[in-house]
């Protein structure tokens, strides 16, 4: 079956530091890959996505590239801000119009001023 | 973007009682909604797929008699936790896919259930 493994947290960084949260997946076929973010007290929001190999998703300074050869979708940001403090979830769907998502366990990021 | 709203955001109930959680798509019609459960420091676990006008499809290991799902209209799905026990305490999140295939799910704010 499908599975997502992401870096265990928590991750604590200082403002303006470089962020990487690793995510690897196992899936049959060609899944779509997502990063969702959950701010304290709120529901999940889509941060970025990629639907095919070598696609790069980007939003709010975050980037992730769909690497089929390494089955990875690592999240990066060059300079984090305090407001980026949240839980980040890597997820995949089986592709096409199948919206059933398989999530990783989530990584708590805390950015200190 | 599309808005999905859940109610209540927090609920505390006594053991043995039933609790209903609503999930509404506010500005679009959703033929399919999904219910997830999130354990502390764990991932979201898909519980069931709610289909408008038909029975929900439950994931393996989820008790359908325990977690009743009703998708009576294109904008409302409800999850009822029946005869709740402390182990049912959790964060329940719903999501819905918009009618146009954007590849994106929209999530509610979540409902935290505490069973005493």
């Amino acid at each position: 079956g499908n599975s997502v493994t992401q870096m265990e947290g928590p991750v604590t960084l200082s403002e303006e530091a470089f962020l990487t949260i690793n995510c690897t997946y196992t899936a049959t076929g060609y899944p779509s890959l997502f990063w969702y973010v959950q701010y304290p007290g709120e529901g999940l929001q889509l941060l970025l996505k990629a639907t095919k190999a070598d696609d790069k998703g980007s939003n709010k300074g975050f980037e992730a590239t769909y690497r089929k050869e390494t089955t990875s979708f690592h999240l990066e940001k060059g300079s984090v801000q305090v407001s980026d403090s949240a839980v980040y979830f890597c997820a995949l769907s089986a592709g096409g119009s199948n919206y059933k998502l398989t999530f990783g366990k989530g990584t708590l990021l805390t950015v200190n001023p | 973007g599309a808005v999905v709203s859940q109610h209540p955001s927090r609920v505390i109930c006594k053991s043995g009682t039933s609790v209903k959680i609503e999930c509404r798509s506010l500005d679009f019609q959703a033929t399919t909604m999904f219910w997830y459960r999130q354990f502390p420091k764990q991932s979201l676990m898909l519980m069931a797929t709610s289909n408008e006008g038909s029975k929900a499809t439950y994931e393996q290991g989820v008790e359908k008699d325990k977690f009743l799902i009703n998708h009576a209209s294109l904008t409302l799905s409800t999850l009822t936790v029946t005869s709740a026990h402390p182990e049912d305490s959790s964060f329940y999140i719903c999501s819905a896919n918009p009618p146009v295939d954007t590849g994106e799910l929209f999530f509610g704010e979540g409902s935290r259930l505490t069973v005493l």
Side-chain angles (χ1 to χ4, degrees), chain B residues 18 58 62-69 79-83:
Chain B
S18 294
Y58 290 81
V62 178
E63 298 176 62
K64 59 182 67 176
D65 294 331
K66 174 75 169 174
F67 299 99
L68 299 179
I69 291 172
L79 167 68
T80 301
V81 183
T82 62
S83 187

Side-chain angles (χ1 to χ4, degrees), chain A residues 74-93:
Chain A
H74 305 321
L75 182 68
E76 297 183 336
K77 185 174 186 181
S79 177
V80 293
Q81 306 299 313
V82 173
S83 57
D84 294 326
S85 299
V87 180
Y88 292 82
F89 291 93
C90 185
L92 68 83
S93 74

Side-chain angles (χ1 to χ4, degrees), chain A residues 6-26:
Chain A
Q6 68 180 95
M7 183 171 137
E8 295 237 2
V11 174
T12 303
L13 296 173
S14 297
E15 206 164 22
E16 299 184 2
F18 184 85
L19 168 71
T20 299
I21 301 178
N22 290 337
C23 172
T24 57
Y25 67 90
T26 302

Side-chain angles (χ1 to χ4, degrees), chain A residues 9-67:
Chain A
V11 174
T12 303
L13 296 173
S14 297
E15 206 164 22
E16 299 184 2
F18 184 85
L19 168 71
T20 299
I21 301 178
N22 290 337
C23 172
T24 57
Y25 67 90
T26 302
T28 54
Y30 302 94
S32 294
L33 301 174
F34 306 84
W35 277 99
Y36 279 84
V37 59
Q38 185 178 30
Y39 297 103
E42 299 183 14
L44 275 74
Q45 301 172 29
L46 179 65
L47 180 60
L48 53 84
K49 67 179 182 183
T51 57
K52 62 183 188 297
D54 299 325
D55 267 3
K56 176 186 283 189
S58 61
N59 185 25
K60 300 181 181 180
F62 291 89
E63 292 183 341
T65 301
Y66 189 143
R67 300 285 188 202

Side-chain angles (χ1 to χ4, degrees), chain A residues 34 36 38 41-46 49 87 89 93 96-106, chain B residues 34 36 38 41-44 46 49 59 91 93 97-98 100-105 107-110:
Chain A
F34 306 84
Y36 279 84
Q38 185 178 30
E42 299 183 14
L44 275 74
Q45 301 172 29
L46 179 65
K49 67 179 182 183
V87 180
F89 291 93
S93 74
S97 59
N98 185 339
Y99 287 91
K100 289 174 65 173
L101 290 174
T102 301
F103 285 90
K105 290 188 175 182
Chain B
F34 301 90
Y36 291 85
Q38 185 179 23
K41 298 183 180 181
Q42 295 290 323
S43 182
L44 283 77
L46 179 65
T49 303
E59 296 299 303
F91 196 59
I93 303 176
N97 61 308
V100 176
D101 188 348
T102 63
E104 178 178 353
L105 272 179
F107 285 81
E109 313 93 321

Side-chain angles (χ1 to χ4, degrees), chain B residues 5-112:
Chain B
S5 180
Q6 278 182 245
H7 177 80
S9 57
R10 293 178 183 272
V11 57
I12 300 172
C13 69
K14 293 182 179 179
S15 187
T17 61
S18 294
V19 174
K20 181 185 285 188
I21 300 170
E22 294 185 344
C23 178
R24 293 182 184 274
S25 56
L26 298 185
D27 53 1
F28 67 98
Q29 294 182 329
T31 55
T32 305
M33 292 184 175
F34 301 90
W35 285 95
Y36 291 85
R37 181 174 179 176
Q38 185 179 23
F39 294 94
K41 298 183 180 181
Q42 295 290 323
S43 182
L44 283 77
M45 180 192 77
L46 179 65
M47 299 174 65
T49 303
S50 172
N51 302 298
E52 189 268 337
S54 64
K55 291 183 179 181
T57 304
Y58 290 81
E59 296 299 303
Q60 193 172 11
V62 178
E63 298 176 62
K64 59 182 67 176
D65 294 331
K66 174 75 169 174
F67 299 99
L68 299 179
I69 291 172
N70 187 322
H71 196 152
S73 78
L74 287 171
T75 58
L76 174 64
S77 175
T78 59
L79 167 68
T80 301
V81 183
T82 62
S83 187
H85 290 284
E87 58 265 31
D88 299 325
S89 299
S90 194
F91 196 59
Y92 294 89
I93 303 176
C94 73
S95 66
N97 61 308
V100 176
D101 188 348
T102 63
E104 178 178 353
L105 272 179
F106 295 94
F107 285 81
E109 313 93 321
S111 300
R112 182 163 300 285

